[in-house]
């Protein structure tokens, strides 16, 4: 017998009636369940040849595990893990076990949420406010991120960082490197400390995080320690070219550790330095003229554009002209490499973009941040960002540079040995 009630439930003050979010969560739940099912079916299909002595399949489905809630970027999503049973035991007692790559056994939240924590922290949100911040983003069922939980996470990150610092680089080669020092003065207890970041591109065009540590400003000694540490772990082949800003510490250290590596100054930093030396009224036209240099079709055209710039502004803005011309060779070094890579070699953007929203944060900050915690937060931020770094547009070209092939204005030129008979 059905019972009817005239009690109308009232919406709680902290509840948000968002039909769109409900639809997204429902769709995500269905897609996740389908993906988990397909993964299990693919595993069983791969093991189809395994049979019991009586001819029956050794591996069979065995229902589902208990329903659990996974915290995602759109809130809580419920899903059940597929269980697979091994009906045969080998002589050593070993069983074949199925482990889902999509839904790890103890996963309670997506990795994207872990990547969100360093961003929240570096933007000035204290660990005690994480729960409130995530509740505003994900609803009242946001994952428990009390200070104790965050402390446990940072301990795990420390172990991950230590393993990463000890990894072997002897099988790696990086044809390009980007270097930059990032100051996070809003949260650092010592304002002289800075994050030294070194990114490299493999011959296959993939960008990877090579080195990262806390240094004293951007001193030569700090950069020297970072480069030597990478070399000690097996990075023996010098990169073809390094891209960085005007920090002299890095370039001096690079010449000491990898003297054969070419220098390429970052055009974004250089443009800002030049424009800072002139009146605001002139900056727009001067910026346009600078673009004629680094967007030129070849080095000869870029050289002409620099001469035009010097003639046009030299009389009144000699300091701006000097700022450009004194680093002429280092600003145009990228023209000696494949034209497909010029966009990548003109700037330290792979590093800059990661810290665009946090590096100058000085307001709404609660307390200082120890260098150890800051290091771990930035490390996790870089690890998350590395998955989205843009690959080089022209791949498998740079290894030729050290093997008798060079580039002029982005075009491959074969170098013929002098003793080569005609």
């Amino acid at each position: 017998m059905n019972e009817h009630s005239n009690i109308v439930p009232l919406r709680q003050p902290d509840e948000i009636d968002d039909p769109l979010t409900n639809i997204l969560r429902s769709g995500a739940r269905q897609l996740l369940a389908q993906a988990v099912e397909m993964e299990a079916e693919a595993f069983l299909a791969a093991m189809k040849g395994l049979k019991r002595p009586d001819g029956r399949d050794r591996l069979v489905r065995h229902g589902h595990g208990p329903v659990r809630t996974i915290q995602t970027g759109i809130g809580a999503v419920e899903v059940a893990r597929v269980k697979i049973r091994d009906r045969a035991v080998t002589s050593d007692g070993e069983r074949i076990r199925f482990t889902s790559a999509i839904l790890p056994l103890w996963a309670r939240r997506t990795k994207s949420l872990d990547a969100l924590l360093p961003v929240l922290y570096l933007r000035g949100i204290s660990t005690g406010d994480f729960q409130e911040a995530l509740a505003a983003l994900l609803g009242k069922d946001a994952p428990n991120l009390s200070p104790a939980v965050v402390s446990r996470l940072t301990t795990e990150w420390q172990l991950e960082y230590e393993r990463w610092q000890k990894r072997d680089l002897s099988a790696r080669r990086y044809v390009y490197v980007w270097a930059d020092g990032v100051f996070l003065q809003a949260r650092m207890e010592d304002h002289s400390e800075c994050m030294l970041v070194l990114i490299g591109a493999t011959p296959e065009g993939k960008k990877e995080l090579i080195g990262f540590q806390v240094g004293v400003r951007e001193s030569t000694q700090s950069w020297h320690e970072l480069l030597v540490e990478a070399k000690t772990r097996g990075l023996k082949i010098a990169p073809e070219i390094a891209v960085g800003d005007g920090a002299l510490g890095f370039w001096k250290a690079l010449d000491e550790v990898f003297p054969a590596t070419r220098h390429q100054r970052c055009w974004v930093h250089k443009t800002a330095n030049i424009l800072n030396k002139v009146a605001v009224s002139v900056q727009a036209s001067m910026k346009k003229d600078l673009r004629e240099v680094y967007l030129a079709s070849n080095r000869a055209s870029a050289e002409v554009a620099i001469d035009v710039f010097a003639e046009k502004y030299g009389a009144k803005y000699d300091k701006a002209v000097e700022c450009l011309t004194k680093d002429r060779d280092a600003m145009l070094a990228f023209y000696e490499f494949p034209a497909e890579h010029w966009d990548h070699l003109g700037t330290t953007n792979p590093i800059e973009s990661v810290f665009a929203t946090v590096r100058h944060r000085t307001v709404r900050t609660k307390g200082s941040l120890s260098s150890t915690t800051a290091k771990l937060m930035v490390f996790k931020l870089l690890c998350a960002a590395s998955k989205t770094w843009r690959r080089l547009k022209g791949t498998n070209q740079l290894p030729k540079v050290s093997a008798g092939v060079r580039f002029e204005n982005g075009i491959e030129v074969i170098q013929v040995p002098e003793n080569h008979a005609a």
Side-chain angles (χ1 to χ4, degrees):
M1 178 173 145
N2 296 330
E3 295 184 1
H4 298 280
S5 173
N6 59 358
I7 298 177
V8 178
L10 298 178
R11 186 170 52 181
Q12 298 300 315
D14 59 345
E15 285 187 7
I16 300 176
D17 185 14
D18 187 355
L20 179 58
T21 299
N22 293 334
I23 293 173
L24 292 174
R25 288 177 183 172
S26 177
R29 187 180 302 112
Q30 295 177 15
L31 289 174
L32 180 57
Q34 292 175 6
V36 170
E37 292 289 335
M38 292 174 64
E39 184 185 32
E41 292 297 332
F43 179 80
L44 287 173
M47 299 293 179
K48 194 68 175 176
L50 298 179
K51 302 290 184 180
R52 296 186 61 187
D54 58 7
R56 292 185 298 169
D57 291 337
R58 176 178 171 177
L59 299 176
V60 295
R61 292 179 64 103
H62 193 57
H64 294 79
V67 175
R68 55 176 153 149
T69 301
I70 303 295
Q71 295 294 339
T72 71
I74 57 174
V77 174
E78 293 182 345
V79 67
R81 178 177 59 90
V82 175
K83 298 172 66 177
I84 292 179
R85 177 186 174 191
D86 184 357
R87 300 193 294 182
V89 181
T90 60
S91 58
D92 57 2
E94 290 292 327
R95 290 183 180 272
I96 297 176
R97 301 182 182 277
F98 167 66
T99 302
S100 173
I102 299 174
L103 192 64
L105 189 60
W106 305 111
R108 288 295 180 270
R109 60 181 174 271
T110 60
K111 293 182 179 180
S112 60
L113 286 183
D114 286 346
L116 176 64
L117 303 186
V119 177
L120 293 177
Y121 207 99
L122 294 173
R123 285 185 69 90
I125 297 178
S126 301
T127 55
D129 296 332
F130 274 7
Q131 192 67 43
E132 182 180 350
L134 289 180
L137 293 171
L138 307 177
K140 60 184 180 63
D141 295 325
N144 176 29
L145 286 177
S146 63
V149 173
V150 175
S151 177
R152 178 177 57 81
L153 284 174
T154 54
T155 300
E156 295 175 1
W157 294 346
Q158 177 65 36
L159 296 175
E160 181 182 347
Y161 175 74
E162 291 174 357
R163 288 193 299 270
W164 179 82
Q165 283 285 75
K166 296 177 181 178
R167 74 197 189 287
D168 182 21
L169 295 177
S170 58
R172 311 299 296 165
R173 188 198 171 189
Y174 298 101
V175 291
Y176 300 145
V177 294
W178 292 263
D180 199 6
V182 181
F183 289 88
L184 299 173
Q185 296 182 356
R187 301 306 305 256
M188 298 295 290
E189 56 188 13
D190 184 351
H191 287 191
S192 68
E193 292 182 337
C194 113
M195 306 292 177
L196 305 181
V197 182
L198 190 67
I199 293 175
T202 67
E204 296 75 30
K206 182 182 178 182
K207 293 173 185 171
E208 298 177 354
L209 181 63
I210 302 176
F212 165 71
Q213 68 180 33
V214 178
V216 180
R217 299 194 180 277
E218 292 191 66
S219 65
T220 301
Q221 179 61 30
S222 295
W223 278 115
H224 187 272
E225 292 173 3
L226 179 59
L227 293 172
V228 168
E229 189 266 339
K231 193 172 184 178
T232 303
R233 286 188 288 112
L235 192 61
K236 302 299 184 182
I237 302 178
E240 300 291 343
I241 192 170
V243 186
D245 61 16
L248 296 179
F250 170 71
W251 301 116
K252 290 181 180 179
L254 182 68
D255 287 339
E256 293 171 359
V257 182
F258 295 114
T261 300
R262 298 292 306 272
H263 295 195
Q264 171 61 49
R265 290 284 300 276
C266 172
W267 270 99
V268 173
H269 285 89
K270 175 59 74 172
T271 299
N273 293 339
I274 293 173
L275 296 182
N276 284 339
K277 301 182 183 301
V278 302
V280 176
S281 59
V282 185
Q283 290 182 0
S285 61
M286 185 173 285
K287 186 175 183 179
K288 182 179 178 181
D289 291 333
L290 288 172
R291 287 172 58 87
E292 294 294 324
V293 180
Y294 61 82
L295 294 181
S297 58
N298 52 61
R299 176 157 185 160
S301 300
E303 296 275 9
V304 171
I306 290 179
D307 294 337
V308 171
F309 182 91
E311 183 178 355
K312 184 175 180 179
Y313 297 104
K316 191 171 182 180
Y317 304 106
D318 57 312
K319 291 184 178 179
V321 171
E322 181 186 1
C323 184
L324 173 62
T325 55
K326 68 185 179 74
D327 297 313
R328 191 183 193 112
D329 290 338
M331 300 307 303
L332 304 180
F334 69 91
Y335 281 109
E336 299 178 25
F337 293 85
E340 294 91 340
H341 300 164
W342 290 354
D343 289 344
H344 302 277
L345 295 177
T347 174
T348 56
N349 185 62
I351 301 174
E352 292 287 322
S353 59
V354 177
F355 301 95
T357 62
V358 299
R359 68 185 305 172
H360 299 303
R361 195 70 171 176
T362 57
V363 187
R364 296 198 299 272
T365 311
K366 297 182 179 179
S368 63
L369 177 64
S370 70
S371 60
T372 301
T373 305
K375 175 185 66 179
L376 295 177
M377 291 290 184
V378 173
F379 171 67
K380 291 300 295 182
L381 192 65
L382 287 166
C383 289
S386 65
K387 297 178 175 60
T388 63
W389 283 334
R390 186 165 58 109
R391 295 177 68 93
L392 298 182
K393 288 187 288 188
T395 58
N396 296 312
Q397 297 191 59
L398 263 295
K400 301 176 184 177
V401 174
S402 297
V405 176
R406 62 186 176 86
F407 289 83
E408 288 185 1
N409 297 320
I411 301 175
E412 211 174 81
V413 178
I414 304 296
Q415 289 181 314
V416 180
E418 294 181 359
N419 59 356
H420 180 73

